[in-house]
Amino acid sequence: MSRILIADPAPPAARRRLRALLGAALVGLVTALGCSPSALVSPSGGAEGPGGWDSAPNNPGDDGSDGQGVDPNGAACLLHDCDDDAQCASCSDGRNHCLVAEHRCVACEEGGCAPGESCSPYGNCVPDGVTCPTDAHGDPTIPCTTSADCVACDPMHQVCDAAVGKCVACTATDASACLASDLCLADQCAAKCPAACTTDNDCGQCGSPGHLVHACNSHQCAECSATYACAAGKSCSPQGVCVELCGADGKGSCASDSDCAHCGGSASVCHKPLNGSGSCGPAASGCSDLGQGALALGDPWDQYTNTCSNDGDCAGVGVKYDVGKALRDLTGFDAIQDATVDYGMNVCAAITIGAGDQQVSCGVCVPCRVDSDCKPIDVDKVASDAFGPIGSIAAKLLLSQVFGDGAHEVHFYCQAVAADYGVCTPCPGVFYACGVGGSAPGGAGGGSCDHDVCDMGAALGASCDACTAAVCGADSYCCSDQWDATCVSEVGAYCPQACGGAGGPDPCSHDECSAGDKLAPSCSDCASTVCGQDAYCCDTAWDATCASEAESSCGCG
C-alpha cells in the first residue's frame, strides 16, 4: 500500500513510474519516421525493455486507447516523458499540455477546462465536485466500475480494477502507468527484472532470446548461479556467466595443452617450467612474437599490442569500443547505431611463454587482471550517436525502452583469457554490476568477523554469531562473497534486535500503540498480527493507522 495524498503532487517515485513508454508507441514512431517497425521488435516478437528486454507493449485501457505514440500525421504523444506541448499533440482525452515539472501530458494546469469541469491536482479535467477521497494509507476509497470513475485520483490510481471495484495503478488489460519494463502484479507496477535479487525466481523475466539471465547470482540477475546450472560442459563463474574453464583450475594453470583448449584468444599452449604447473598462454617463442598478433585477445582488444614493464606504461593505451554494437547485439534493437568510446587497456600483464629453462615473462598491456579493472561505460556520452539527436522523440523512446528509468550505464567484468589476464566483457544483466571486487578472474571470497552485521563490507562468517548464521543460512552469498546492502536488509528479518544503536534503527523502538518507525513482526504477537493485516506497518512506517489497528486488534492500556 502507498502513502499518496490527494492534495499533493505525485511523488518522485510515482513520477518515475509515469515515464513509462509503450512498445507500441516505439513501433508507431519508427513507422512515422520511415523505418521498419521490425527494427525495434525483439526476436521473440515483443518490444524489449531494460534488463528484461522482453517487454510486450502495455495493453490499452478501457477506452481502447493508451494515448501514446505517433498518429498518421506524425504528431507525437510522449504521455509520460514530455518536454514541451508539441510532444503531447496527439494524446487522447485532451492531454495536450506538457506539465514540464513532472514530464507528463495533462489536460489542464490550474484551469483551462470546459464549463462544468475543474482541473484536478493531477491535470485532469473532471466534473465539478468529483473528488477522490483516500484512506490513511493514501489509497482511494471510492468504488469504481470503469476507469472514468478514477479520473480525479492521483496518477498511480487512475485505473479501475472492476473485479474488486478499486482504483489502482494497473490491471492485466491496462498497464499504461507502468514502465515498459514492468509487470502488473497485484494491481501494482513491478519491475520485470529487479536491480537486486535473492532467489532465481526473481529473475524469471530477465534477458532476451540468446541472452537469458534467469539466475540470481551475487544478488544480481545472471546467466547461472549455484542453484541454476549451466549446460553440460560449462561451469558457472563467480560473475554468473557460463564458461568453459581456461586451465585446469579456471585461472590458467595447466599441466598440458589440453588444459588450455578453452582459453580465450590464442592462449592454447601450456608453457611449463622445469618443475611445477604451467600457465596457459599464446603460441609464441619470444616476446617479439606478441607484437605480431600472437596475443590475439579478440576484437576489439587486438587493435594494438603494447609492451610494458608496469601498469604505468599502459596509462595511455586503449582501443575504440563500439558500445552501440554491443547494445544492439545484446538487446536485439536493430535501431541502435554504432557508437564508439575510448576504453582503456591499462593493466600490464606478465605473460609467460616458452618451456623449461627457456621460459621468459613478457609484459603486455591488456584490458584487465581483475573485475575492478573494467569500468562501466556512461552511454549518455555517446547517446546521440547510438540513439539519435538528444531530445528527439526517437532518442527518448529508445533510451527508455533500453534503460527504463535506470542509469544509462553498461557494466563489465574481467573474462579470463589466460593466466593473469582477461578482457572486459558486458555483465550478464548488462545494466547491473556483476564484478567480484579484487578477485582475479575465476576467484572467490571467504568469510570473516571484521565488521558489524549492520554495516556493508567483506563477507562475514556464519560462525561469527547467531545473526550471521541465520542470514547466511537463508542467503549464502553473504558469507561466501560479500556482505552487501541486501545482506544488511536481511538482518532485520532474521535478527531484528541486531541493529539497535549499531548501524541502524531498532526495529522494536516503540510500543505498538504509538506511531513511529516501522516495527518488525517478530517484536511481539501484536506486531505480527497488525503486519499480517497491513504490511505497510512493517515495510514502511508504523503510522497512526497502524497504531489504531494495534489498539483494535490487541488493546492498549
Side-chain angles (χ1 to χ4, degrees):
M1 289 181 287
S2 56
R3 257 45 173 190
I4 300 177
L5 302 179
I6 193 68
D8 296 334
R15 292 200 298 270
R16 288 195 297 270
R17 286 292 181 204
L18 287 171
R19 295 176 60 208
L21 299 175
L22 303 183
L26 188 61
V27 174
L29 170 68
V30 293
T31 301
L33 295 178
C35 304
S36 167
S38 62
L40 294 181
V41 176
S42 72
S44 61
E48 298 178 338
W53 309 321
D54 193 17
S55 305
N58 289 328
N59 294 318
D62 307 55
D63 63 356
S65 171
D66 57 25
Q68 300 191 104
V70 178
D71 69 16
N73 297 318
C77 175
L78 300 184
L79 188 61
H80 303 308
D81 197 28
C82 64
D83 291 315
D84 55 52
D85 289 352
Q87 296 178 357
C88 302
S90 69
C91 294
S92 62
D93 301 322
R95 292 173 291 182
N96 306 127
H97 170 64
C98 181
L99 186 60
V100 177
E102 299 179 19
H103 299 284
R104 289 194 296 120
C105 295
V106 298
C108 58
E109 186 177 3
E110 299 180 356
C113 296
E117 294 182 334
S118 57
C119 188
S120 77
Y122 305 106
N124 288 331
C125 289
V126 302
D128 287 338
V130 173
T131 61
C132 183
T134 63
D135 62 18
H137 295 315
D139 294 321
T141 57
I142 59 171
C144 66
T145 55
T146 70
S147 294
D149 297 327
C150 306
V151 67
C153 297
D154 69 85
M156 294 308 292
H157 289 94
Q158 291 183 356
V159 176
C160 179
D161 184 346
V164 295
K166 292 183 177 180
C167 296
V168 297
C170 59
T171 63
T173 57
D174 188 349
S176 56
C178 301
L179 289 170
S181 54
D182 283 349
L183 291 171
C184 185
L185 297 175
D187 291 338
Q188 298 293 320
C189 299
K192 280 187 176 182
C193 192
C197 60
T198 55
T199 68
D200 293 335
N201 285 341
D202 294 338
C203 305
Q205 299 290 329
C206 298
S208 63
H211 299 283
L212 298 178
V213 284
H214 291 175
C216 182
N217 181 77
S218 302
H219 292 162
Q220 299 290 338
C221 292
E223 185 180 3
C224 58
S225 69
T227 55
Y228 196 98
C230 298
K234 292 188 176 183
S235 298
C236 190
S237 74
Q239 299 86 1
V241 182
C242 291
V243 296
E244 294 177 314
L245 297 180
C246 173
D249 60 352
K251 303 177 186 178
S253 294
C254 58
S256 65
D257 288 352
S258 61
D259 292 332
C260 305
H262 300 302
C263 293
S266 61
S268 58
V269 176
C270 182
H271 299 279
K272 292 185 62 179
L274 290 174
N275 298 297
S277 64
S279 299
C280 295
S285 57
C287 294
S288 60
D289 293 340
L290 299 179
Q292 300 171 10
L295 189 59
L297 291 176
D299 184 56
W301 312 110
D302 57 356
Q303 294 175 17
Y304 308 100
T305 301
N306 290 70
T307 58
C308 56
S309 299
N310 53 59
D311 289 351
D313 294 337
C314 302
V317 178
V319 299
K320 296 292 184 181
Y321 185 90
D322 191 343
V323 66
K325 180 180 184 300
L327 285 172
R328 187 167 62 245
D329 293 343
L330 289 166
T331 65
F333 279 129
D334 291 338
I336 299 175
Q337 302 299 308
D338 290 349
T340 58
V341 298
D342 292 324
Y343 202 96
M345 296 177 64
N346 307 136
V347 173
C348 185
I351 300 174
T352 300
I353 57 177
D357 58 1
Q358 300 300 310
Q359 277 198 329
V360 294
S361 181
C362 311
V364 178
C365 296
V366 297
C368 59
R369 183 181 300 112
V370 297
D371 288 338
S372 57
D373 293 329
C374 298
K375 308 304 180 185
I377 291 177
D378 182 356
V379 176
D380 284 340
K381 294 182 178 179
V382 291
S384 60
D385 293 333
F387 298 95
I390 296 301
S392 70
I393 297 173
K396 291 170 73 70
L397 285 168
L398 268 174
L399 281 166
S400 180
Q401 287 296 104
V402 174
F403 294 99
D405 59 356
H408 299 168
E409 292 183 337
V410 176
H411 291 268
F412 296 79
Y413 72 98
C414 188
Q415 180 181 6
V417 169
D420 193 48
Y421 68 95
V423 295
C424 295
T425 302
C427 287
V430 183
F431 312 118
Y432 308 126
C434 67
V436 292
S439 299
S448 65
C449 302
D450 60 0
H451 64 86
D452 191 86
V453 295
C454 302
D455 299 324
M456 292 186 292
L460 292 176
S463 60
C464 291
D465 56 36
C467 184
T468 57
V471 171
C472 293
D475 189 347
S476 61
Y477 175 85
C478 302
C479 284
S480 64
D481 292 82
Q482 185 180 13
W483 195 273
D484 63 8
T486 300
C487 303
V488 172
S489 70
E490 291 170 342
V491 169
Y494 297 104
C495 28
Q497 303 291 344
C499 294
D506 182 355
C508 303
S509 60
H510 58 87
D511 67 63
E512 296 83 356
C513 295
S514 301
D517 292 332
K518 64 182 180 181
L519 296 178
S522 58
C523 289
S524 66
D525 291 340
C526 183
S528 178
T529 298
V530 171
C531 292
Q533 301 168 350
D534 188 349
Y536 183 92
C537 302
C538 286
D539 291 342
T540 307
W542 195 278
D543 61 10
T545 300
C546 303
S548 176
E549 291 168 347
E551 183 168 2
S552 299
S553 300
C554 320
C556 295

